Amino acid sequence: EFIVSFNGYFKSPARKRFITAALHDATFSWTIIERNNPAKEFPSDFDILKFKGNSKNGVEALKDHPLVKRVTPHKMVTRTLKYIKEMGPEIPCNETDKDWDLTFHSSRPLNRKSLSLGTAYWHSPNRHRTRHLMKAVPKQIVSSLQAEILWNLGFTGAGVKVAIFDTGLAADHPHFKKGRIKDRSNWTNEKTLDDGLGHGTFVTGVISSSSECLGFAPDADIYVFRVFTNNQVSYTSWFLDAFNYAILKKINVLNLSIGGPDFMDHPFVDKVWELTANKVIMVSAIGNDGPLYGTLNNPADQMDVIGVGGINFENQIARFSSRGMTTWELPAGYGRVKPDIVTYGSAVRGSALNGGCRHLSGTSVASPVVAGVVSLLASAVIDRADILNPASMKQALMASARRLSDVNMFEQGFGRLDLQGAYRQLKTYKPQASLSPNYIDLTECPYMWPYCTQPIYYGAMPVIVNVTILNGMGVSGTIVDKPKWEPYTPQNGRNIEVSFSYSPVLWPWSGYLAVSISVTKSAASWEGIAQGQVTLTVESPSEEEEGETKKSTVTLEIKVKIIPTPPRSKRILWDQYHNLRYPAGYFPRDNLRMKNDPLDWNGDHIHTNFKDMYQHLRNNGYFIEVLGSPFTCFDSSQYGTLLMVDGEEEYFPEEVTKLKRDIDNGLSVIIFADWYNVSVMKKVKFYDENTRQWWMPDTGGANIPAINDLLSPHGMAFSDQVLEGDFSLGDHDMYYASGTSIAKFPQDGILITQTLKNQGYEVLKSETQMAENVPILGLYQNRTNKTSGRIVLYGDSNCLDTSHLQKDCFWLLSAMLEYTAYNNLPTVVRNVDKVSLPPDIELPERMEGNHLHRYSKVIEGNLGTPRSRPLPPCPPLIWAQPHPINKSAPSNLYQQPRLKSLPIEVPFLPKQLPELVLKPDFPIEQELKPPSLLHESSNFYPVLAFIGTGLVVLFLLNQYYQSRSRPKRKRTKPRARKLQQFFYGRVPGV
């Protein structure tokens, strides 16, 4: 089955004519699958086509039709549910909560679960603090964000259309006001509108419940889209039809508590863009795959979507919340900052399936918290609906968010959601452009991690900061002229070089600005702080035919620490270019035991799943740079060691030649490999019921045949063995997780052998077999020249990879670097017996019929035989012309973001008390009324305020005269506390 996307909306007969015309010469049968759902009578921009027989020619014929936009496999959406029905408060030092994990991905059996269910790898930043007051879980989530303040002003979500894409909702659920559920639609193949799981009910309740466990916008118009079956199954086409229907219904806010790694599911991603282009404010969960980095889920990782992370009621990032960066941009670029904001997602109280309340956790809970807040805010500024759009709402949420201490931007985005602050921002909002992040300070830790962990220096690979441009002026826009680099003359700004790449068109509502930062040659031996700023102007056409073009100028301040160029021995170059990941190909995990998470999708970057290894190297004084281009694009004389870990990509012939020359001239290389065995790869295949095809891995854990081609000039190679087991190396306990062995090595090199389990034999035969004295570690000194480099091989990378780390081998990596950089032989390999390898070991070959060429940057298909592509040119960097200005910036660039505002008076809102300890008997919990009851007495508030003011004056006068008739005494804190209670009611202790 394939989704055929068209360049426009057409009725069913017209679409059938287009397909028939494209397939008029087809020698196989095909049918258009009928979709029986509420959107079937409306024009659509896609059809589902089912082929019987060889579909390759049919797909190509469809792509040639002028009205066909794209042809993609029809994918199935699956998810797993992980939750505890009734939870107590989350304990920040030993978090044990599980949650609903709504994962969106292809029909490939990615039954993905959280990577952090155990507590062994989780360490809260507050773990070793002394005793402190704990915050009790509030009875009402709405009170945690003080929604009652806006309710008292008369705003309750009225006039806002909210769509919930989930598991459905019962028509007679008691928590929702009569008439507020405007529409329930079913897009699945089950004949029901009701929720059979409870997740959709909970999500809807957090947004709009008016009874027991209250929601934020109880008077909003609710549109329930049932897109998941009771078996937790959905299809991309169900979402596409439902999304089209949401556009027809003119939905304002859409909550999507699902997510997954497949940001290359083009029909889905394109439709999300179309939704937001139609002013639908989409809120989505960032994912439940924390605490690992590089685990952002789609669509929350899209620039036009509000991506929400989770925190607990101690204002700490929840263990399950996914972390950035985005991995779309790898390997050549650098990821964007996500999530956008965070809010409460642990032990949140919401509507249960059949009435009553329950506690649940997860970013799928945090998402409806934000969606409810957005709905409430939209009703509060409904008189200014012309300024309300996905960008302006996100700008208001970001500008008002409260930054969490000791948390970096890839965990919290702009910080914790502040409902009252966002209201103030929206009430005076003026359409404008803004940036995320809104400044670049490479010295500010921990917020600017990982940038702040390593100073910059001359000769290094440029530091890339990927900034998101939000355009609240219109759905489309452009950058006028070019961004301008303005170094600060008093603050050594001339020591910085800056280059830009940016979106040619900002659509929908957003774009990117990639800033590459380097050091000028004149500062090669200089040390200090340098600062400057980037200014750019965004222009958007007016929505009216004869209106004026809108313009907005934004400034991005930059601050860096520069040091003299470190010695070559301390500089490591990380090979990112030859790492591949899901999507789009089937790249299996490096550890075959990871059956619950079989796809390698975390980016294989030093700031994602190799984050802990990176920090270890920095703590040991090494400087790590990232290579996002072929080996022909770096100067080997600048680096002591090239570090290659878990490479899946092929190599250009020019790279093989260049690396041989570099090693001869002094560059050292460390390679961490992984398993590759064709028989095992065939064993881990699976059947895709949609495309009726078997899916084979495109490589093993690593591309061993390609690595062997790279090593062949040095007489080295890895085998096709798959090994596993515990062993000791010196004083260190080690674990070999689906690694390989060394098959060829120079006789004058050093080899370390171990006895391990033959995991490949176990996979194939389901029997245990031991492999005696297999070589897993090799060290070799190249002897071409006196200054030639060294090569170290190790057969397993799992001990460096945080995603499935059991026993790390960071100490071994340090020992390897001592050898490659200084020729200091590690003590564990001294005085070892010489190992002779059999000369006739058969080396692994590429699996016949693999599809690596579809995703490779190096090879391409040619009549069924892959061949090397032409070597691409090295990416050019055009340094921006500096425009020095005489300006001094503050030492701390961080300030609460400020949006340009109109001179509009905002109603008085009590200042939020963010550090209150919410006790169970807090009156706002016990006496909180649904908004409907508050509205009945809203006309009396001016009178009550007048009476209250009079009572306060009388009280103060009474106190004054009493004090004159008795000796004065110093007021104590308890007295001040009583006075405070008189004004505000009971205020909990802090």
Side-chain angles (χ1 to χ4, degrees), residues 302-524:
Q302 294 183 211
M303 289 185 284
D304 53 321
V305 175
I306 300 173
V308 183
I311 59 175
N312 59 26
F313 287 103
E314 287 290 301
N315 291 328
Q316 297 171 332
I317 299 296
R319 176 176 57 86
F320 54 74
S321 187
S322 290
R323 274 76 163 162
M325 59 182 171
T326 61
T327 57
W328 295 41
E329 299 78 8
L330 299 179
Y334 196 87
R336 291 169 283 109
V337 175
K338 282 278 184 170
D340 297 309
I341 55 172
V342 293
T343 193
Y344 302 112
S346 285
V348 172
R349 189 168 177 262
S351 300
L353 183 61
N354 298 313
C357 302
R358 68 191 307 187
H359 290 90
L360 290 176
S361 296
T363 55
S364 60
V365 174
S367 179
V369 170
V370 173
V373 165
V374 168
S375 304
L376 180 58
L377 290 171
S379 69
V381 293
I382 204 164
D383 58 322
R384 306 190 67 217
D386 57 316
I387 61 95
L388 206 58
N389 57 60
S392 62
M393 180 61 74
K394 185 187 284 193
Q395 287 172 329
L397 296 178
M398 286 177 165
S400 58
R402 303 295 185 92
R403 181 180 290 188
L404 305 178
S405 60
D406 300 325
V407 179
N408 69 58
M409 59 185 177
F410 290 116
E411 294 180 318
Q412 66 168 315
F414 272 67
R416 173 170 55 89
L417 175 66
D418 181 352
L419 170 58
Q420 310 308 323
Y423 170 71
R424 287 188 287 267
Q425 293 283 354
L426 279 176
K427 201 64 179 175
T428 61
Y429 177 80
K430 179 180 179 181
Q432 61 197 274
S434 64
L435 303 175
S436 171
N438 58 333
Y439 69 95
I440 299 173
D441 186 350
L442 305 192
T443 69
E444 181 189 0
C445 271
Y447 183 73
M448 283 283 173
W449 186 96
Y451 297 109
C452 63
T453 59
Q454 181 169 295
I456 64 175
Y457 44 86
Y458 173 70
M461 294 289 172
V463 172
I464 304 173
V465 183
N466 199 338
V467 179
T468 297
I469 305 171
L470 294 174
N471 179 20
M473 299 180 293
V475 65
S476 65
T478 57
I479 295 178
V480 179
D481 296 326
K482 296 179 180 179
K484 182 186 292 185
W485 165 235
E486 298 174 327
Y488 296 162
T489 301
Q491 292 174 299
N492 310 299
R494 284 188 173 273
N495 291 332
I496 308 174
E497 289 183 312
V498 172
S499 178
F500 307 110
S501 63
Y502 48 88
S503 302
V505 177
L506 309 180
W507 184 91
W509 310 104
S510 57
Y512 70 87
L513 170 67
V515 183
S516 298
I517 306 171
S518 190
V519 177
T520 61
K521 187 176 181 179
S522 60

Side-chain angles (χ1 to χ4, degrees), residues 803-972:
S803 61
H804 32 72
L805 189 66
Q806 297 191 36
K807 296 177 182 178
D808 73 71
C809 60
F810 300 152
W811 71 270
L812 179 60
L813 177 59
S814 295
M816 292 177 178
L817 289 167
E818 280 290 312
Y819 174 66
T820 58
Y822 305 108
N823 198 22
N824 293 333
L825 201 63
T827 55
V828 294
V829 301
R830 295 176 185 173
N831 303 319
V832 297
D833 295 334
K834 188 176 182 62
V835 177
S836 297
L837 295 176
D840 56 348
I841 296 181
E842 186 175 346
L843 300 181
E845 296 182 357
R846 293 168 178 84
M847 183 168 64
E848 185 177 352
N850 76 79
H851 298 143
L852 183 62
H853 62 275
R854 295 179 180 176
Y855 322 109
S856 172
K857 305 177 291 294
V858 177
I859 59 174
E860 61 185 354
N862 179 42
L863 300 177
T865 303
R867 66 179 182 184
S868 178
R869 300 175 186 268
L871 180 70
C874 298
L877 281 179
I878 301 174
W879 302 112
Q881 180 69 31
H883 300 271
I885 57 175
N886 187 20
K887 178 179 178 179
S888 295
S891 57
N892 183 10
L893 297 186
Y894 170 66
Q895 295 180 348
Q896 189 74 19
R898 295 182 180 179
L899 297 177
K900 298 175 184 177
S901 58
L902 299 174
I904 299 175
E905 184 177 352
V906 181
F908 170 75
L909 298 178
K911 291 184 178 180
Q912 190 174 9
L913 303 176
E915 300 302 327
L916 288 181
V917 180
L918 299 177
K919 296 183 178 180
D921 59 346
F922 191 24
I924 205 168
E925 305 287 347
Q926 292 183 342
E927 300 174 9
L928 188 61
K929 299 178 181 179
S932 57
L933 297 181
L934 293 170
H935 290 165
E936 293 174 3
S937 58
S938 60
N939 294 332
F940 296 100
Y941 283 138
V943 178
L944 292 176
F946 178 78
I947 296 173
T949 303
L951 291 174
V952 170
V953 172
L954 290 174
F955 174 80
L956 293 175
L957 288 174
N958 180 56
Q959 295 295 314
Y960 173 75
Y961 286 112
Q962 286 186 8
S963 65
R964 297 189 62 182
S965 62
R966 61 175 181 266
K968 293 183 178 180
R969 63 180 182 182
K970 187 178 179 180
R971 289 187 175 181
T972 63

Side-chain angles (χ1 to χ4, degrees), residues 54 98 146 178 279 438 616 671 947:
N54 185 5
K98 303 183 179 113
Q146 298 182 326
K178 187 176 181 179
K279 284 193 172 184
N438 58 333
H616 170 83
I671 298 179
I947 296 173

Side-chain angles (χ1 to χ4, degrees), residues 2 16 35 38 101 112 143 146 155 186 257 440 469 580-581 669 741 842 870 878 918 921 967 973 983:
F2 290 87
K16 185 175 181 179
R35 301 172 344 248
D101 185 7
R112 185 161 52 78
S143 68
Q146 298 182 326
F155 308 126
N186 175 41
S257 287
I440 299 173
I469 305 171
L580 297 174
R581 46 91 178 96
V669 176
S741 63
E842 186 175 346
I878 301 174
L918 299 177
D921 59 346
K973 289 184 179 179
F983 287 117

Side-chain angles (χ1 to χ4, degrees), residues 48-226:
I48 305 172
L49 204 61
K50 184 174 183 178
F51 290 110
K52 294 182 179 178
N54 185 5
S55 61
K56 183 177 181 180
N57 294 335
V59 170
E60 295 302 321
L62 286 166
K63 289 181 178 178
D64 290 338
H65 194 282
L67 291 178
V68 173
K69 178 180 180 181
R70 184 180 286 116
V71 182
T72 53
H74 187 206
K75 298 182 178 181
M76 185 172 66
V77 180
T78 62
R79 67 177 184 179
T80 58
L81 304 180
K82 301 177 297 183
Y83 64 97
I84 297 176
K85 292 184 178 180
E86 297 294 335
M87 294 181 55
E90 182 183 53
I91 307 301
C93 295
N94 185 23
E95 303 182 70
T96 58
D97 50 2
K98 303 183 179 113
D99 76 303
W100 300 82
D101 185 7
L102 308 187
T103 60
F104 176 83
H105 49 76
S106 74
S107 56
R108 305 168 180 87
L110 178 56
N111 189 19
R112 185 161 52 78
K113 298 180 180 179
S114 173
L115 302 179
S116 56
L117 295 182
T119 59
Y121 308 121
W122 169 246
H123 300 281
S124 166
N126 299 317
R127 192 176 189 85
H128 301 295
R129 285 186 178 179
T130 56
R131 296 183 182 90
H132 63 285
L133 291 173
M134 300 292 293
K135 294 181 181 179
V137 175
K139 184 178 179 182
Q140 300 289 356
I141 182 61
V142 293
S143 68
S144 300
L145 296 172
Q146 298 182 326
E148 64 279 356
I149 295 178
L150 288 189
W151 292 350
N152 291 341
L153 294 176
F155 308 126
T156 57
V160 179
K161 296 181 177 180
V162 185
I164 292 96
F165 280 57
D166 218 285
T167 59
L169 178 72
D172 57 351
H173 197 285
H175 284 183
F176 304 97
K177 289 185 177 181
K178 187 176 181 179
R180 292 272 64 91
I181 307 299
K182 295 295 184 180
D183 186 36
R184 296 187 305 144
S185 55
N186 175 41
W187 305 87
T188 73
N189 54 14
E190 295 179 338
K191 305 299 182 182
T192 181
L193 294 166
D194 293 342
D195 181 7
L197 296 172
H199 188 268
T201 302
F202 185 92
V203 168
T204 309
V206 170
I207 294 174
S208 63
S209 170
S210 63
S211 176
E212 294 187 84
C213 29
L214 302 179
F216 289 90
D219 287 322
D221 296 335
I222 300 300
Y223 292 76
V224 177
F225 292 72
R226 189 175 188 269

